[in-house]
Amino acid sequence: LLKLDAPTMIYIRVYNSMGGEVEQKTVSGYRGTNIVTVPLGSLQQGIYYIQLQYGNELKRSRIQKL
């Protein structure tokens, strides 16, 4: 979930454990609570880093696909 104060574009990037970009997606965010889905279906098992960028904000998280 991502809460926005104003409509803005949300840029989603997924990186592998070596730092290479493996997926990217851009969605239109709207004011209020947004549900952002990250495209992981085509990826192999392993560690990935997800980056969400919107406005002046940058959020990063680490996930493990089993």
Side-chain angles (χ1 to χ4, degrees), residues 4-57:
L4 300 175
D5 293 330
T8 189
M9 297 303 290
I10 303 169
Y11 302 95
I12 305 160
R13 292 182 180 87
V14 181
Y15 299 92
N16 62 21
S17 60
M18 301 297 286
E21 186 175 296
V22 293
E23 291 284 342
Q24 73 174 15
K25 181 179 178 183
T26 303
V27 295
S28 297
Y30 52 87
R31 186 174 188 267
T33 302
N34 293 259
I35 297 174
V36 179
T37 57
V38 180
L40 299 177
S42 64
L43 301 179
Q44 298 178 15
Q45 293 180 347
I47 303 292
Y48 294 93
Y49 299 91
I50 299 173
Q51 176 179 290
L52 295 177
Q53 183 177 358
Y54 51 97
N56 293 327
E57 296 288 327

